[in-house]
Amino acid sequence: MDNQKRETLSALVEELTTSGQPQLDSAKMKQLKQICKSSNEYIDHIYHLIMTQLNEDHAEIRLSAFQIADELFARSHHFRSLLVSNFQEFLELTVETDPAEQPLPPPKEAAQKLKIMAIKSVQEWQSKYGEAYKKLAVGYNFLRHVKKVDFNDVEARTLAERKKAEEKQKRLENIYKDKVCKVEKEMGEMASEIQECLTEIDNCFKLLLSDPADFTFDDFIPSSYKQNHFEKSTSTQLISNNQLVTPDIDDEVPCCSKDLLPMSMLSEDRKVSESTVKHMANQQTKDSSDDESDIEQNSGHDNETFLRNNGIISYKYSLDLDISSGLNINENENNEAVVATIRDLHRLITTKLLPSVQSWIQIFTKAGINDDRMKRAIDFKKALEIAIKKHEDLHINYKWRERKVLKASHDDDEEDDDDDDFEEVPEKEGFEPTIPDHLREEYGLEPSQKEVMQTAAPDPPPRPKRRDDNEEMDPTCAAATLKIFRHKLQSSLSSSMSKASESILSSPKASIESEKQDQESAAPVIPFGLDLYYWGEDQPTAGRILKFSSQHQFWVPHEVEEEVENKELAAMMKTRYITFAGKFEPVKHKCKAPMPNGSLCERQDRIKCPFHGLIVPRDDLGNPTNPEDIVRLEKEKKEKQEVQPDWRDPEMMREIEAATGVDLGSAKNFGKGKGSGKAKKRKYPNLTDLKKRSNTTRSRLEKRVFNKAAVKRVTEAMNRIDSRKHEKFSNQFNYALH
Amino acid sequence: MLGFLFARQTGLEDPLHLKRAESTRRVLTLELNKDRVVDRIHGNGVNTLDIEAVEGKYMLSGGADGVIVIYDLENSSQKPQYTCKSICTVGRSHQHVHKFSVETVQWYPHDTGMFTSSSFDKTLKIWDTETLIPAEIFNFEGTVYCHHMSPIATKHSLIAVGTKDPKVQLCDLKSGSRSHILQGHRGEILSVKWSPRYEHILATASTDSKVRLWDVRRATGSLFTLDQHNGMKSKAASEAADSAHNGRVNGLCFTGDGLHLLTIGTDNRMRLWNSANGENTLVNYGKVYNESRKGLKFTVSKGCSPEFVFVPSGSEIAVYALFTGKLITMLRGHYSYVDCCEFHPDFQELYSGGKDCNILAWIPAPRSPVLDDADDQTKNGGSLNPAFEDAWSSSDDEG
């Protein structure tokens, strides 16, 4: 047996197994086979090599070793007999016959691959050599009957795994069964509810939809409206215009005609509204007095032309609404109940019924149930969805309706299917520049002040701040709006204001006021405290502690000072501590020390960079600008170089040592330096690093917690606590003994 | 061999010598042979085996699932290949099957018409082999670990039963009742064995790490206890007094002549005792791996010149020289723990059963062909078994 060949064999096996490749290198394998072919002694040797490699705790090494074994098994009888004689161990190491004691080592993918491959090979070997090698057959039978390895199963799962999977499946099935039973019960219970809900909502829809259909023939619609509607050619024109802008879902009645209803009513039917419109028109003229002079000429009666010219549909409509909402109270009440029901039903469907139906379907699909139960659930879902869709078709109307229902419960049948004029309504709520006189009492206001109105008019109506929780700021309250205006008047004097004929407040007063406000805004705000409570007052009792004399009949303490004055306490009443921590100022400078990769250090520490020391001003190239810094840094650099001269690069040293075999003392010099850690190369760079994986939070924590120093510290602290206890009770024999 | 034959021919030597030499040789060459297969019947671990002594033809096996199987071992086919068929089975569907694991089975020593089995279901059953129906059932308080019938007894037909209870009980087949109770142990009885030399002598091993020898005729108690230190150290350490092992003692075996007794314990030791006076012979077998919580059935060869012990040791069977303690070989073939082994004295074959559900037959290797017809043999072997051929590819490039 050639010693050199032996060594090459060892080297080859090592190279092949530590390559980390899923396939063996064919050239090396050829070489290996050639050596093995020459004599059985080499096979003995390689058998041992393979077994040692198979014992390594690395699945990739094992995989490669197994592949070599597989190659040789097919070729050499001697190798076969050797391997079969130790087949138990071989199976343990490759097929994982003893998962509790000897699980396959990590990289999981490689281990799985190894297992599958091994099982496949064992089957092949059995079919080919099973008769000749009894133990192989026994092993195969063992795998098949005891370990219940299914050789046809590609997954190569062992009995335990399969059992686990089965159990899981079973458990899931049971859970699903339970769930399905529950759902069935639930469905039985809820079916009637759903059905009821559906029919109810359907009926509601019918009721609502029939309203507009009956609209033209309805008797409760005032006849005057009809007349207006048909008589006024201008208004119809307007309708056609508006129809282009706002297509309506309601096909029977053009929406804008309804819009106009209140307006026409306003202009002709009602006396009260007359004045309001005038009012409004006035306002408009004031509004646009600067740019549009022709409008000024327009009289209040000519609403149509005004509208057409201005094109401010919203503004106008909102006004209409305000009045109309006050008009048809009787009709609203008719509809209110239906809408409320629809809203409730819709909520019921979206929050309860539909989700539950969906969950049923989910459960059914998961449980794989595909019969009429599923069908029924799907039917329910469809019906509910249709209902929701229907509702959505009428969505916006209902939405606004809902609001109205909530707020004022003022509804109008005609307005049911109208989007446009209701959209503007909420915007109006915050600010109503004109409140009709007849309504003033209703809102709780004094009779109108024209001046106020007029001054307010130039400002565009402010959007209500709905988010304000403050009750005073409640935009729905008209009083609040007025308050806002007054506040505005006080705080600032605008040009428009000066234009106004009369101003409420004199200007000098206003200026003082504003000054004061400035000061107020500059002053710090302090929470209320005792010191403020007694501000400027002299407290006679401050800092006095009263001691009550004994209440006892006979027994009286020797000397009683009834009052004790405590200066500290007295001071506490008058002073307040305000800690001033200063303001956080973000660091603006950067370390800017040059880094080995050419860039500058980006760290933004306040004083000291953990890597580059004190932060000093540097130029764009990272060189320090101050001369003393330059000197200091130079010095530091020199010191560093002295410790570790350039030519004694630890890596190079190590290489030289390895090549020559002479100890140059690299290990001694730099054993502790950072060089040793870096230069330490992994033995087999191709293999998956198993240790790398252990870099988890747990491991890092472990490193910290179980650090020797930390453990020592903890024990010391514990001992100290212990000993203190002993000191305390040291004169008691029981503790003294411990 | 030829020398022995010649000596035998000329009458120079006792025939026993030849027999012993040959059987020793055969035992030494025991191996797992593809020619002998025992049918796979057990779906669970095989706990116990017994080969009947009358013909040496039938083997009983008891499984961990309560199944009892009878195998035919005799190869009458004139061919080397032979599969030991199961003749009859007390399967799971049998109405009288043991509910739990069968721990011990034994043939009636004088006849194959009857056998006994004891189980963890707290019963000992006496079976009629013909009908496979229990003729008698003894119920016990605790699980039955072992039982044994004297192989030579002619004056009594007692079955010693070791149960969870520390009292050893003797069941009399004649009366069908429990006749004796032997008190003395303090732990479960894991093994009981009758001496093959004196019919009234019984050895028992227990978890209290003691081994006691009894004369069943004596009423007062055990004859003596085996002491691993031969009385030297026991005076000092009162706890270890008279203990045979430092752990549980879970195996007992008399040598064929009954002069010596082997014990095995969970301290991974095997000890050989003089059965006449209870003296520890101090034979060192080294470490014998043994972790079984139940009784372990091991066996001794018969009719070899140095006798051998076959001891299950993990998933292997260790073969030791009985008197020197030398480890001869390890028989490796099982894939899980081996629970029992049984030696066939007529053919020098060994049968072993283990947790991997296998019963393996260890057969002496056929004598290697004599030199003159070596060529023929190899040719035949080659043609017979292509699997044995090497399959290196011929061209040098491919290797």
Side-chain angles (χ1 to χ4, degrees):
Chain A
M1 190 150 133
D2 194 348
N3 208 27
Q4 200 182 341
K5 269 191 183 172
R6 236 179 109 115
E7 266 164 24
T8 36
L9 208 58
S10 308
L12 275 172
V13 168
E14 178 147 349
E15 274 170 36
L16 280 168
T17 51
T18 56
S19 68
Q21 301 298 317
Q23 299 301 327
L24 296 175
D25 183 17
S26 57
K28 280 177 189 160
M29 203 56 214
K30 214 177 274 174
Q31 204 183 338
L32 189 136
K33 277 186 262 181
Q34 214 138 31
I35 296 173
C36 289
K37 194 178 162 187
S38 50
S39 167
N40 273 353
E41 287 175 48
Y42 296 121
I43 287 184
D44 274 333
H45 183 57
I46 204 171
Y47 167 73
H48 289 296
L49 286 173
I50 285 172
M51 282 319 277
T52 43
Q53 293 296 344
L54 275 178
N55 270 306
E56 291 286 334
D57 273 339
H58 198 298
E60 285 172 8
I61 297 179
R62 285 197 192 181
L63 180 63
S64 303
F66 171 76
Q67 282 168 322
I68 301 174
D70 193 21
E71 293 267 336
L72 292 176
F73 196 90
R75 286 175 171 76
S76 165
H77 162 64
H78 189 64
F79 187 79
R80 281 195 288 270
S81 48
L82 280 174
L83 193 67
V84 163
S85 73
N86 200 9
F87 209 57
Q88 289 98 333
E89 197 187 343
F90 181 77
L91 286 184
E92 271 169 16
L93 294 174
T94 55
V95 192
E96 199 182 17
T97 48
D98 191 7
E101 295 283 315
Q102 286 181 299
L104 288 180
K108 215 172 174 184
E109 309 81 52
Q112 194 62 28
K113 200 176 167 197
L114 168 67
K115 200 170 166 183
I116 293 169
M117 201 184 261
I119 285 174
K120 219 186 264 170
S121 301
V122 167
Q123 194 183 12
E124 275 168 24
W125 295 350
Q126 158 70 13
S127 59
K128 219 167 169 186
Y129 309 107
E131 269 183 42
Y133 301 90
K134 162 90 180 172
K135 218 169 146 185
L136 179 63
V138 172
Y140 176 78
N141 282 328
F142 170 71
L143 280 181
R144 208 167 124 193
H145 296 291
V146 181
K147 288 290 165 189
K148 305 272 196 272
V149 172
D150 185 355
F151 284 94
N152 298 321
D153 191 352
V154 194
E155 295 267 294
R157 292 176 301 176
T158 55
L159 174 70
E161 285 169 49
R162 225 170 310 142
K163 230 180 194 170
K164 223 187 236 169
E166 257 168 38
E167 263 169 28
K168 202 178 166 191
Q169 186 72 27
K170 220 175 183 179
R171 217 175 48 227
L172 272 178
E173 253 167 41
N174 273 337
I175 290 170
Y176 283 141
K177 223 180 191 173
D178 283 0
K179 271 189 178 168
V180 165
C181 275
K182 239 189 231 165
V183 162
E184 233 176 307
K185 223 168 134 193
E186 214 179 287
M187 208 153 88
E189 283 168 3
M190 277 180 82
S192 59
E193 197 182 337
I194 292 173
Q195 214 58 56
E196 238 168 64
C197 177
L198 282 171
T199 42
E200 212 170 320
I201 206 166
D202 258 10
N203 287 336
C204 282
F205 285 145
K206 265 179 203 162
L207 275 176
L208 275 181
L209 285 172
S210 66
D211 278 353
D214 302 336
F215 160 66
T216 41
F217 315 102
D218 231 358
D219 27 20
F220 64 76
I221 301 284
S223 57
S224 59
Y225 160 68
K226 272 188 204 171
Q227 283 163 15
N228 289 331
H229 185 45
F230 296 113
E231 277 167 20
K232 279 212 160 187
S233 57
T234 41
S235 63
T236 41
Q237 218 174 341
L238 200 109
I239 290 158
S240 55
N241 281 345
N242 278 349
Q243 257 178 329
L244 292 173
V245 186
T246 54
D248 204 334
I249 33 160
D250 195 352
D251 33 17
E252 284 173 65
V253 182
C255 64
C256 295
S257 65
K258 279 174 289 158
D259 293 352
L260 267 171
L261 157 71
M263 206 177 62
S264 54
M265 279 171 152
L266 162 137
S267 54
E268 286 175 34
D269 294 342
R270 303 194 89 181
K271 294 166 211 159
V272 208
S273 53
E274 189 88 63
S275 64
T276 328
V277 173
K278 242 187 228 168
H279 208 94
M280 185 207 71
N282 260 343
Q283 213 178 292
Q284 283 293 337
T285 50
K286 287 270 154 60
D287 242 4
S288 47
S289 58
D290 308 329
D291 33 86
E292 282 186 59
S293 56
D294 50 343
I295 289 179
E296 204 136 31
Q297 291 157 3
N298 267 345
S299 68
H301 292 281
D302 202 355
N303 277 328
E304 292 83 29
T305 37
F306 167 69
L307 264 176
R308 208 181 297 147
N309 290 342
N310 242 4
I312 315 165
I313 303 160
S314 64
Y315 186 69
K316 188 97 191 182
Y317 287 174
S318 53
L319 190 71
D320 296 346
L321 166 84
D322 189 39
I323 294 154
S324 70
S325 68
L327 284 177
N328 305 325
I329 292 166
N330 294 332
E331 282 97 309
N332 295 341
E333 273 167 1
N334 286 341
N335 211 352
E336 188 190 347
V338 179
V339 173
T341 343
I342 288 192
R343 207 192 54 204
D344 288 347
L345 288 174
H346 178 251
R347 192 175 294 160
L348 182 72
I349 288 174
T350 47
T351 55
K352 193 184 162 197
L353 299 182
L354 196 63
S356 56
V357 169
Q358 264 161 347
S359 72
W360 297 345
I361 290 173
Q362 220 168 10
I363 287 165
F364 282 146
T365 38
K366 266 187 193 164
I369 284 172
N370 215 354
D371 51 6
D372 50 335
R373 279 177 289 180
M374 179 82 164
K375 215 173 153 193
R376 210 169 147 210
I378 287 173
D379 285 347
F380 276 139
K381 197 189 167 193
K382 263 186 196 159
L384 287 174
E385 272 171 352
I386 286 168
I388 285 177
K389 184 109 195 304
K390 263 187 193 170
H391 179 266
E392 236 152 58
D393 284 343
L394 309 164
H395 175 67
I396 301 160
N397 299 333
Y398 292 128
K399 204 170 176 190
W400 292 116
R401 265 192 168 282
E402 280 161 26
R403 231 181 232 194
K404 292 213 106 192
V405 168
L406 276 175
K407 270 183 206 151
S409 68
H410 287 175
D411 268 345
D412 198 351
D413 271 341
E414 289 100 311
E415 279 157 13
D416 264 350
D417 312 308
D418 198 339
D419 327 32
D420 283 15
D421 52 4
F422 286 108
E423 270 179 7
E424 265 78 30
V425 169
E427 288 180 13
K428 282 293 298 160
E429 278 171 5
F431 165 57
E432 289 163 9
T434 55
I435 295 163
D437 281 11
H438 72 283
L439 284 174
R440 285 202 160 257
E441 279 169 63
E442 205 180 299
Y443 281 85
L445 296 170
E446 319 113 71
S448 67
Q449 286 179 323
K450 278 222 165 162
E451 298 83 23
V452 176
M453 290 297 177
Q454 278 168 349
T455 45
D459 292 335
R463 286 206 151 228
K465 291 169 188 167
R466 268 162 221 251
R467 274 164 228 122
D468 265 347
D469 295 342
N470 204 332
E471 263 211 4
E472 266 193 309
M473 299 299 282
D474 192 354
T476 55
C477 178
T481 327
L482 271 183
K483 201 175 181 181
I484 291 168
F485 288 131
R486 283 206 191 106
H487 184 73
K488 263 190 188 161
L489 279 172
Q490 279 171 2
S491 59
S492 64
L493 289 166
S494 63
S495 58
S496 65
M497 230 181 151
S498 63
K499 255 190 201 171
S501 57
E502 291 160 32
S503 64
I504 293 164
L505 300 162
S506 58
S507 52
K509 205 179 172 186
S511 64
I512 290 165
E513 200 94 328
S514 62
E515 223 172 86
K516 201 178 166 188
Q517 266 187 346
D518 283 347
Q519 280 175 353
E520 269 171 15
S521 65
V525 179
I526 304 173
F528 188 73
L530 259 187
D531 53 337
L532 289 180
Y533 184 74
Y534 292 117
W535 190 261
E537 286 174 35
D538 206 23
Q539 299 159 255
T541 55
R544 300 248 169 95
I545 297 169
L546 292 180
K547 284 187 181 168
F548 293 104
S549 52
S550 173
Q551 304 279 314
H552 201 270
Q553 201 174 357
F554 312 112
W555 195 83
V556 174
H558 173 60
E559 168 214 358
V560 185
E561 203 182 338
E562 295 228 324
E563 275 189 9
V564 185
E565 194 160 338
N566 192 331
K567 274 186 182 168
E568 267 179 43
L569 268 178
M572 248 162 74
M573 291 298 192
K574 287 172 191 166
T575 52
R576 178 184 294 218
Y577 295 106
I578 298 167
T579 47
F580 180 67
K583 228 175 184 178
F584 173 75
E585 274 179 48
V587 179
K588 284 181 189 115
H589 57 260
K590 287 178 183 170
C591 171
K592 275 169 94 177
M595 301 224 284
N597 64 355
S599 65
L600 300 182
C601 180
E602 289 285 323
R603 283 192 65 97
Q604 289 189 311
D605 299 280
R606 201 169 286 280
I607 295 161
K608 197 175 176 185
C609 173
F611 303 115
H612 306 102
L614 273 178
I615 294 173
V616 294
R618 289 169 193 266
D619 60 9
D620 288 342
L621 294 172
N623 298 322
T625 46
N626 286 353
E628 60 250 45
D629 283 334
I630 297 172
V631 174
R632 187 175 54 85
L633 287 175
E634 283 281 301
K635 215 163 119 190
E636 273 176 20
K637 205 174 171 188
K638 222 176 245 172
E639 269 171 23
K640 221 182 219 171
Q641 271 183 350
E642 263 169 34
V643 175
Q644 197 175 32
D646 247 352
W647 62 270
R648 296 185 78 178
D649 179 48
E651 269 180 58
M652 198 180 71
M653 290 272 285
R654 207 157 291 123
E655 271 168 30
I656 294 169
E657 270 173 42
T660 56
V662 182
D663 182 19
L664 296 173
S666 70
K668 193 172 70 191
N669 275 358
F670 307 111
K672 278 182 185 172
K674 64 173 185 179
S676 71
K678 262 185 189 171
K680 197 176 175 186
K681 265 189 199 154
R682 285 178 47 223
K683 207 173 170 191
Y684 305 115
N686 295 328
L687 291 177
T688 314
D689 196 353
L690 297 182
K691 277 174 191 155
K692 217 178 194 172
R693 302 200 159 204
S694 64
N695 188 17
T696 55
T697 39
R698 191 195 159 83
S699 70
R700 285 197 298 274
L701 266 178
E702 258 173 7
K703 218 193 250 167
R704 278 285 163 86
V705 173
F706 298 120
N707 179 357
K708 238 183 201 169
V711 171
K712 211 172 167 186
R713 213 162 45 231
V714 170
T715 21
E716 258 173 26
M718 301 284 277
N719 283 339
R720 216 177 307 130
I721 293 165
D722 244 20
S723 66
R724 206 175 296 151
K725 202 160 77 186
H726 285 200
E727 274 163 28
K728 215 173 192 175
F729 304 108
S730 56
N731 36 9
Q732 291 182 15
F733 80 97
N734 189 25
Y735 289 93
L737 286 178
H738 286 290
Chain B
M1 181 73 192
L2 283 173
F4 273 118
L5 277 180
F6 178 74
R8 176 76 195 91
Q9 241 173 355
T10 48
L12 285 173
E13 245 180 334
D14 196 349
L16 213 59
H17 277 123
L18 172 63
K19 193 187 166 194
R20 276 188 182 148
E22 181 59 13
S23 52
T24 309
R25 188 199 63 81
R26 282 171 68 90
V27 166
L28 285 173
T29 58
L30 278 181
E31 63 167 26
L32 202 60
N33 201 313
K34 62 176 167 34
D35 293 340
R36 184 68 57 93
V37 181
V38 183
D39 260 359
R40 277 185 69 92
I41 304 292
H42 289 285
N44 241 311
V46 180
N47 279 333
T48 173
L49 291 172
D50 190 45
I51 297 168
E52 47 107 358
V54 182
E55 294 173 278
K57 190 180 174 189
Y58 300 111
M59 180 170 74
L60 268 175
S61 74
D65 51 356
V67 173
I68 299 170
V69 185
I70 301 174
Y71 292 99
D72 185 0
L73 298 183
E74 201 172 68
N75 179 9
S76 51
S77 65
Q78 304 290 328
K79 280 181 201 157
Q81 285 87 4
Y82 177 65
T83 304
C84 301
K85 296 256 168 44
S86 74
I87 298 169
C88 49
T89 310
V90 183
R92 289 299 320 159
S93 51
H94 195 281
Q95 57 171 334
H96 298 294
V97 70
H98 280 291
K99 270 191 219 129
F100 304 135
S101 162
V102 174
E103 284 307 294
T104 317
V105 287
Q106 195 192 5
W107 286 104
Y108 181 63
H110 311 295
D111 189 3
T112 54
M114 189 158 78
F115 66 90
T116 55
S117 69
S118 62
S119 156
F120 272 0
D121 65 3
K122 304 178 184 178
T123 56
L124 164 71
K125 293 188 180 175
I126 319 295
W127 298 83
D128 181 348
T129 317
E130 277 309 310
T131 57
L132 279 187
I133 285 168
E136 181 70 60
I137 298 174
F138 292 93
N139 285 296
F140 296 92
E141 302 280 305
T143 52
V144 182
Y145 282 104
C146 55
H147 75 270
H148 196 237
M149 258 181 114
S150 174
I152 51 150
T154 49
K155 294 186 182 119
H156 71 81
S157 54
L158 292 171
I159 305 173
V161 183
T163 64
K164 210 171 178 183
D165 193 66
K167 294 166 196 156
V168 180
Q169 312 200 35
L170 300 181
C171 301
D172 197 346
L173 281 184
K174 267 182 201 153
S175 64
S177 66
R178 276 168 269 181
S179 58
H180 290 50
I181 285 174
L182 306 178
Q183 275 183 319
H185 279 298
R186 287 183 184 173
E188 301 158 18
I189 313 295
L190 294 181
S191 185
V192 289
K193 277 277 157 33
W194 291 95
S195 162
R197 191 175 188 90
Y198 309 104
E199 60 177 299
H200 295 291
I201 300 295
L202 174 73
T204 58
S206 157
T207 52
D208 62 3
S209 67
K210 284 181 184 166
V211 176
R212 287 173 188 272
L213 272 102
W214 315 76
D215 186 334
V216 292
R217 293 164 299 190
R218 206 172 121 137
T220 50
S222 62
L223 285 175
F224 52 80
T225 333
L226 301 184
D227 179 15
Q228 54 181 324
H229 303 296
N230 282 336
M232 302 295 284
K233 269 190 189 168
S234 57
K235 282 161 198 160
S238 56
E239 294 160 14
D242 298 343
S243 65
H245 286 270
N246 290 329
R248 301 185 292 273
V249 188
N250 56 2
L252 280 177
C253 184
F254 278 97
T255 53
D257 52 13
L259 289 175
H260 291 88
L261 174 67
L262 272 164
T263 62
I264 188 166
T266 49
D267 54 354
N268 293 331
R269 288 274 175 273
M270 185 158 71
R271 297 211 161 87
L272 182 71
W273 313 81
N274 185 334
S275 64
N277 55 13
E279 189 193 357
N280 187 356
T281 58
L282 298 172
V283 174
N284 181 17
Y285 295 98
K287 188 172 174 179
V288 184
Y289 181 74
N290 173 18
E291 257 187 358
S292 177
R293 302 186 63 83
K294 309 190 287 187
L296 195 71
K297 282 96 187 169
F298 62 105
T299 189
V300 178
S301 68
K302 258 181 219 161
C304 308
S305 57
E307 296 284 12
F308 300 101
V309 203
F310 305 95
V311 196
S313 167
S315 64
E316 295 152 2
I317 301 166
V319 183
Y320 292 99
L322 179 63
F323 293 109
T324 60
K326 190 183 162 207
L327 178 66
I328 307 293
T329 178
M330 299 288 265
L331 302 177
R332 303 167 61 104
H334 280 284
Y335 286 82
S336 189
Y337 291 105
V338 184
D339 280 326
C340 54
C341 48
E342 194 63 35
F343 186 74
H344 196 304
D346 297 345
F347 304 113
Q348 289 83 36
E349 290 164 352
L350 183 74
Y351 293 88
S352 65
K355 285 210 170 59
D356 59 356
C357 317
N358 282 326
I359 298 174
L360 295 183
W362 304 85
I363 309 293
R367 185 179 277 277
S368 54
V370 198
L371 282 173
D372 16 318
D373 52 6
D375 291 341
D376 287 349
Q377 283 293 324
T378 43
K379 263 182 198 167
N380 285 339
S383 59
L384 277 173
N385 257 318
F388 287 143
E389 281 176 10
D390 284 358
W392 300 106
S393 62
S394 48
S395 76
D396 283 348
D397 310 337
E398 288 184 23

